[in-house]
Amino acid sequence: MMSQMPQPTALSRCPSCEEPLEAGDRFCGACGYDLSTVPAPPADNPTITMNGTAPRPPSAAASVDWPLAPEVDSSDTPAPVHRATDIQGTDSGGSELPHPEPGSAGAQPSGVHHPGAQPSGVQPSGAEPSGVRFDRPSEPDEYPLAPPAAEPPAEPAAPPSAEPLVDPRTADLATPQAGTKLCVACRSGNVDSDGYCENCGHAQPRERDHMEQELGAVAAVSDRGLRHHRNEDAFAISSTALPDGSPAVVAIVCDGVSSATRPDEASLAASRAANEALLEALPLGTHPQQAMHDAIVAAAEAVNALADASTSQGEHAPHVNAPACTLVGSVVTPALLIVGWVGDSRAYWVPVDRSSLPARLTEDDSWAAQMVAAGLMNEAEAYADERAHAITGWLGADAYELEPHTASFKPDRPGVVVVCTDGLWNYAEAAEEMAEVVPLDAAERPLHSAQVLVGHALDGGGHDNVTVAVLPFPAPPQGAGSA
């Protein structure tokens, strides 16, 4: 009869001893367990446990009363989303988590941007982003490090005469030998000639990345910019006296040609040579314009001396990539304003009275300038061309020929001379544009004005090295400084 037939079990193993079972078994053949007492298997549950046993039912205390999304009609309006931050909870230590107020910044999960929200890093007034604090007190630039606490070793690790370990960051370092420089990172290793620490290998900051100098009536600032890996510009500023005792103020600015070898060395050598030549000639009574011409020749010779012997292949060797640079300089006296240049570095005149017109005092040795001079293009078209900044004159052993340009002016009103590389005038090309960015008190604060002009170039993108010198005209009496 059907009622007397053993009921098939749905179990494949004995619940007591885990022995395999066969279909129709009412008792376990190994331990005798009554299989008829086994309750019916629960409904299918996809939860998987790591040890193969059935998961424990969650306790009532651990349950969370999650809010239910209300039913919506058949329209396209989506149901409101409930997030974990909407639920009160506790952290791993058992402390109660703060419950975010509706509409607060904490109610929005971190890392999710919604249309109309503030961009990353910009917070609306009064809002505090999740996980970020802006109300921390100011922190010192450096934290003093306490020496490590000495712990008695289980066994002597060193002879009693051995010196204790000392944290090199807190130890009193010996004074470096004369002519050596200590690493800024480990503060113990010497820096080699290539600018790397012999101890930790850290590259040292380069001195020429940013330079500033002020000598009362003249100031200059040079910066590497935001795109170049080094500063290939250089400057030299100085002051001297003419034979009659009147002052003469000098500024030389050079821009290394990046496509040449060692352009940074070329600009440095040229600026120093030109400055030294002017300081030697002006006190002897040489006319400032002639002195400027001779100074450019001396600068060219200094750059030529940097070239390898392979550049000595005749008068013209355009295929030789010798060190090269441009040069622009100015000499200011109580009555005269002299400029000299080779290349596309420039000098501008900006009067103190801004109702008077400013002027550009130099003409570029460049492809664009040649096109304009020949009447083939207007200035806007020429400087918009990709060949605009190709220079046609420079200092270097592979230059076609040296043609120093000089000019002399007698301004009838006070002003300032801005001597600069194209790293600045790329962002203020016309004389009117340059006058707009030169501070009104430039004649009284030349260093501040040079800093502002360099900042203008960096704010514009800083695509090139930028160097600026500011000279007030007329040259103030000897000993007068800037305000």
Side-chain angles (χ1 to χ4, degrees):
M1 297 177 60
M2 292 291 296
S3 60
Q4 294 177 344
M5 293 183 64
Q7 297 294 324
T9 178
L11 299 176
S12 60
R13 291 182 179 273
C14 173
S16 176
C17 65
E18 293 292 331
E19 284 293 318
L21 300 175
E22 295 182 0
D25 287 347
R26 298 182 60 188
F27 296 92
C28 174
C31 65
Y33 189 85
D34 186 359
L35 299 177
S36 63
T37 62
V38 178
D44 181 38
N45 190 331
T47 302
I48 300 174
T49 58
M50 295 299 294
N51 59 4
T53 59
R56 297 181 179 180
S59 62
S63 63
V64 178
D65 186 15
W66 292 92
L68 300 176
E71 296 181 0
V72 295
D73 54 19
S74 59
S75 67
D76 294 334
T77 304
V81 178
H82 295 277
R83 304 183 180 91
T85 51
D86 298 331
I87 310 301
Q88 196 76 19
T90 59
D91 62 16
S92 59
S95 301
E96 187 175 9
L97 293 173
H99 188 71
E101 297 294 333
S104 69
Q108 180 172 310
S110 175
V112 179
H113 180 72
H114 297 279
Q118 292 285 346
S120 175
V122 179
Q123 298 298 327
S125 176
E128 183 177 353
S130 175
V132 179
R133 289 178 60 91
F134 290 94
D135 57 349
R136 292 183 296 177
S138 58
E139 299 177 351
D141 293 334
E142 295 184 359
Y143 291 91
L145 298 176
E151 297 182 1
E155 296 180 2
S161 60
E163 296 181 359
L165 296 176
V166 178
D167 189 336
R169 296 168 295 181
T170 59
D172 292 332
L173 300 177
T175 304
Q177 298 178 358
T180 62
K181 183 179 179 181
L182 286 181
C183 173
V184 299
C186 68
R187 300 182 183 179
S188 60
N190 293 330
V191 179
D192 62 20
S193 59
D194 294 328
Y196 292 88
C197 176
E198 296 175 345
N199 178 46
C200 67
H202 188 90
Q204 306 300 296
R206 288 171 290 198
E207 182 181 358
R208 290 179 64 177
D209 281 356
H210 185 87
M211 301 177 292
E212 297 185 1
Q213 187 179 4
E214 183 180 31
L215 295 176
V218 59
V221 176
S222 181
D223 192 271
R224 178 171 59 92
L226 305 179
R227 302 296 181 88
H228 278 230
H229 69 285
R230 65 180 175 184
N231 190 359
E232 298 169 356
D233 288 357
F235 68 82
I237 58 175
S238 60
S239 61
T240 186
L242 301 177
D244 61 358
S246 59
V249 182
V250 175
I252 303 292
V253 168
C254 297
D255 183 357
V257 178
S258 297
S259 58
T261 58
R262 294 144 55 206
D264 53 332
E265 296 181 28
S267 61
L268 184 61
S271 61
R272 289 178 174 177
N275 182 66
E276 292 171 1
L278 287 167
L279 290 181
E280 181 180 353
L282 291 173
L284 298 178
T286 307
H287 190 280
Q289 189 169 355
Q290 181 63 43
M292 177 62 74
H293 179 279
D294 296 343
I296 296 176
V297 173
E301 293 174 351
V303 178
N304 291 348
L306 297 175
D308 297 330
S310 60
T311 60
S312 301
Q313 300 178 12
E315 184 179 358
H316 306 297
H319 60 284
V320 178
N321 194 22
C325 69
T326 68
L327 181 148
V328 62
S330 179
V331 176
V332 171
T333 72
L336 287 178
L337 163 57
I338 309 298
V339 293
W341 73 97
V342 173
D344 62 349
S345 294
R346 294 180 177 180
Y348 291 83
W349 164 255
V350 179
V352 171
D353 179 8
R354 297 305 169 86
S355 62
S356 302
L357 293 178
R360 198 177 90 194
L361 305 179
T362 57
E363 293 293 337
D364 299 343
D365 288 322
S366 68
W367 180 91
Q370 284 191 346
M371 293 299 103
V372 175
L376 300 176
M377 291 183 177
N378 61 40
E379 191 164 328
E381 293 172 340
Y383 282 99
D385 193 282
E386 61 181 5
R387 297 165 290 182
H389 288 272
I391 58 175
T392 57
W394 63 89
L395 305 182
D398 57 356
Y400 290 100
E401 58 183 318
L402 177 62
E403 293 185 5
H405 310 291
T406 61
S408 178
F409 304 91
K410 285 187 176 182
D412 61 354
R413 64 202 66 198
V416 294
V417 184
V418 176
V419 182
C420 63
T421 61
D422 59 348
L424 171 62
W425 66 253
N426 278 332
Y427 302 99
E429 186 171 340
E432 294 76 14
E433 295 174 327
M434 184 64 70
E436 290 179 359
V437 295
V438 173
L440 296 176
D441 59 352
E444 288 77 31
R445 303 174 65 192
L447 177 60
H448 171 262
S449 299
Q451 293 168 337
V452 169
L453 292 173
V454 170
H456 175 75
L458 298 180
D459 291 342
H463 287 73
D464 198 357
N465 307 145
V466 53
T467 302
V468 183
V470 178
L471 303 88
F473 176 88
Q478 289 289 330
S482 61

